[in-house]
């Protein structure tokens, strides 16, 4: 049995970076950027008004009130026809180019219009006030987005601003997903005695898509050698094959020997983690193969820690782990497993610090408790108990910012 960190290092060592491909800008959201992107022009490309008001010479309003002649108007999307001379002002809108000669913009609320068409300036204004200078944000040629970042809506805005209608991104890994178990029935069926619905399939497919994979669901295979072998063969042409269930030591846990018969070389078969110690990772040729536990929480946690890291690395992402923060415990937690434990909790901000309320869970099959958590508190193998008020690391779950720890 190897440590979590050792297992992650092996996964990272084996996961290849896939080639980049080009996609339309509207298809780039949540993809991994495959190149550095530079600005094709200064941003802003001209001195730009930051407020509605009047473009003027700051030196003309040293003595107040100052009355200036209004000699024109500047609007966003048009270039000024004239400049600003001594004793003059130009009515200007936010985003418009600042006319030549103007050294400041006075907001309209600090002015009074006069009946004779002139404007009265009632407050002082400093040089360059309310003017965004040309290239104050970015100069032409500056790198504005770096390779390896996941493209967010804000990054979409940057790409559009620098004229990138098409974007080079890491190719999506092709992931085949197989769930095993005689006890599983489809979501639409009502389970008979001894049966449960297949929750791992939809949940793992969702996690895979969230990590950028192109998912092919292979369905549910029974605990029979021939049926497992046929199903697994169908997934081996993918970049990544994920199997849930059948990797423990029971009489009907057949996934590991069947994979071996199909030519998979195993790099580890157990990891010192709770939940999820029976965890298989190997490869056949270029295909990465993960065998995850069948218990729902174990399957979700191990996918998120190991498979997700592989999928992101294959797309060229720089950051492979979820955010790790330090939290203060509101209640005691225990870990007598002898393994690193990931325990469900609700984390929230309280008086400038992050506090965690551990959630009661009946074990690695309690997916309801796991769904209520927005973080996983981490206790190392040697830390058997943590008391209220003590601090411990926690991994933030996907959607943490939307599910901010408000009590259920």
């Amino acid at each position: 049995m190897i440590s979590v960190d050792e297992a992650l290092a092996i996964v990272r060592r084996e996961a290849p970076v896939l080639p980049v491909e080009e996609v339309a800008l509207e298809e780039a959201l949540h993809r991994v950027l495959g190149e550095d992107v530079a600005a094709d022009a200064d941003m802003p490309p001209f001195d730009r008004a930051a407020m509605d008001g009047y473009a003027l010479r700051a030196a003309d309003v040293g003595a107040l009130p100052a009355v200036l002649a209004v000699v024109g108007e500047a609007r966003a999307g048009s270039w000024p026809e004239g400049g600003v001379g001594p004793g003059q002002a130009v009515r200007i809108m936010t985003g418009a180019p600042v006319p030549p000669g103007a050294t400041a913009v006075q907001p309209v609320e600090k002015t009074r219009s006069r009946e004779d068409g002139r404007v009265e300036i009632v407050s002082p204004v400093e040089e360059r006030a309310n003017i965004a200078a040309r290239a104050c944000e970015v100069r032409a040629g500056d790198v504005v987005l770096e390779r390896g970042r996941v493209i967010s809506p804000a990054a979409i805005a940057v790409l559009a601003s620098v004229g990138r209608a098409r974007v080079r991104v890491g190719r999506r890994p092709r992931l085949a997903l197989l769930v095993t178990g005689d006890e599983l029935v489809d979501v639409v069926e009502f389970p008979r005695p001894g049966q449960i619905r297949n929750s791992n399939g939809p949940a793992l497919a969702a996690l895979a898509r969230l990590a950028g994979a192109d998912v092919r669901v292979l369905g549910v295979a029974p605990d029979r050698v021939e049926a497992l072998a046929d199903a697994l063969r169908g997934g081996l042409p993918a970049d990544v094959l994920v199997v849930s269930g059948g990797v423990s030591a029971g009489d009907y846990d057949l996934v590991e020997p069947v994979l071996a018969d199909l030519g998979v070389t195993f790099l580890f078969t157990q990891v010192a983690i709770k939940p999820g110690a029976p965890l298989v990772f190997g490869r056949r040729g270029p295909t990465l193969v993960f065998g995850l536990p069948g218990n729902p929480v174990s399957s979700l946690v191990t996918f998120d820690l190991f498979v997700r890291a592989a999928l992101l690395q294959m797309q060229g992402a720089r950051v492979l782990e979820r955010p790790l923060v330090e939290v203060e415990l509101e209640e005691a937690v225990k870990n007598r497993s002898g393994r690193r434990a990931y325990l469900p909790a609700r984390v929230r901000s309280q008086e400038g610090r992050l506090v965690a309320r551990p959630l009661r869970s009946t074990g690695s099959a309690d997916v309801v408790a796991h769904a209520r958590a927005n973080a996983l508190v981490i206790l190392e193998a040697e830390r058997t108990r943590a008391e209220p008020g003590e601090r411990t690391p926690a991994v933030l779950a996907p959607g943490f910012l939307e599910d901010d720890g408000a009590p259920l």
Side-chain angles (χ1 to χ4, degrees), residues 273-274 332-343 379-387:
I273 182 175
K274 179 187 178 182
V333 289
K334 300 176 182 178
N335 175 27
R336 297 174 181 169
S337 67
R339 296 168 275 152
R340 181 186 290 177
Y342 291 77
L343 308 172
L379 288 189
E380 296 296 338
E382 64 276 8
R383 191 176 185 185
T384 59
R385 183 179 175 90
E387 301 294 342

Side-chain angles (χ1 to χ4, degrees), residues 211-393:
D214 182 6
V215 179
R216 181 164 68 97
V217 177
L218 302 177
V220 177
D223 296 320
R224 295 193 298 276
V225 170
E226 297 81 4
L228 274 173
D230 287 343
L232 291 168
R233 283 192 195 94
L236 284 170
D239 297 311
V240 180
L241 170 61
V242 175
V243 189
S244 174
V247 295
S248 295
D251 292 343
Y252 295 96
D253 291 314
L254 305 172
V255 166
E256 192 173 334
V258 172
L259 286 172
D261 287 344
L262 292 172
V264 174
T265 300
F266 298 116
L267 300 167
F268 59 77
T269 57
Q270 285 190 319
V271 179
I273 182 175
K274 179 187 178 182
L279 174 63
V280 172
F281 174 65
R283 65 184 308 154
R284 195 188 80 163
T287 302
L288 303 184
V289 179
F290 291 88
L292 309 183
N295 278 327
V297 178
S298 300
S299 191
L300 291 170
V301 170
T302 53
F303 186 103
D304 213 43
L305 287 174
F306 299 100
V307 185
R308 178 179 180 271
L311 294 174
L312 289 173
Q313 179 165 303
M314 295 172 83
Q315 296 167 84
R318 294 198 314 268
V319 178
L320 306 182
E321 297 89 12
R322 294 204 183 277
L324 187 69
V325 298
E326 189 176 59
V327 298
E328 181 182 311
L329 294 172
E330 289 190 312
E331 301 172 14
V333 289
K334 300 176 182 178
N335 175 27
R336 297 174 181 169
S337 67
R339 296 168 275 152
R340 181 186 290 177
Y342 291 77
L343 308 172
R346 297 281 292 182
V347 172
R348 70 183 188 282
S349 177
Q350 179 176 296
E351 298 177 352
R353 67 191 196 282
L354 292 176
V355 297
R357 176 170 60 88
L359 297 179
R360 179 183 174 276
S361 172
T362 61
S364 58
D366 192 350
V367 72
V368 174
H370 185 75
R372 288 173 174 159
N374 65 359
L376 297 174
V377 168
I378 301 173
L379 288 189
E380 296 296 338
E382 64 276 8
R383 191 176 185 185
T384 59
R385 183 179 175 90
E387 301 294 342
E390 292 185 3
R391 304 187 71 80
T392 186

Side-chain angles (χ1 to χ4, degrees), residues 37-202:
V37 174
D40 63 344
D42 293 339
M43 297 173 62
F46 45 77
D47 285 358
R48 182 182 64 202
M51 304 280 285
D52 290 340
Y54 290 87
L56 47 76
R57 297 176 353 132
D60 288 343
V61 295
L64 297 175
V67 178
L68 305 176
V70 179
V71 295
E73 182 179 86
R75 296 180 297 169
S78 62
W79 195 255
E81 294 182 357
V84 174
Q88 296 179 337
V90 167
R91 173 79 168 156
I92 196 165
M93 313 304 166
T94 302
V98 176
T103 64
V105 172
Q106 180 71 303
V108 67
E109 58 267 22
K110 296 181 180 180
T111 68
R112 282 196 292 263
S113 297
R114 293 167 57 105
E115 292 183 0
D116 60 6
R118 294 185 295 170
V119 63
E120 185 176 337
I121 309 301
V122 298
S123 295
V125 61
E126 297 180 356
E127 294 279 347
R128 307 301 296 174
N130 303 310
I131 293 177
R134 175 174 179 166
C136 66
E137 299 164 1
V138 172
R139 292 189 179 278
D142 286 351
V143 174
V144 291
L145 295 173
E146 294 183 347
R147 178 177 184 166
R149 69 164 290 164
V150 176
I151 298 174
S152 64
I156 292 285
V158 174
L159 291 165
S161 297
V162 299
R164 290 299 189 99
R166 298 190 65 81
V167 187
R168 289 171 64 80
V169 296
R171 175 171 73 75
R172 292 189 186 276
R174 295 183 294 268
L175 183 144
L177 174 63
L178 178 69
V179 178
T180 71
D182 290 336
E183 74 277 17
L184 300 177
V185 298
D186 193 75
V187 173
V188 299
E189 296 182 40
F190 192 84
R192 298 195 301 270
Q195 295 180 328
I196 58 173
R197 289 189 175 100
N198 170 24
S199 62
N200 285 2

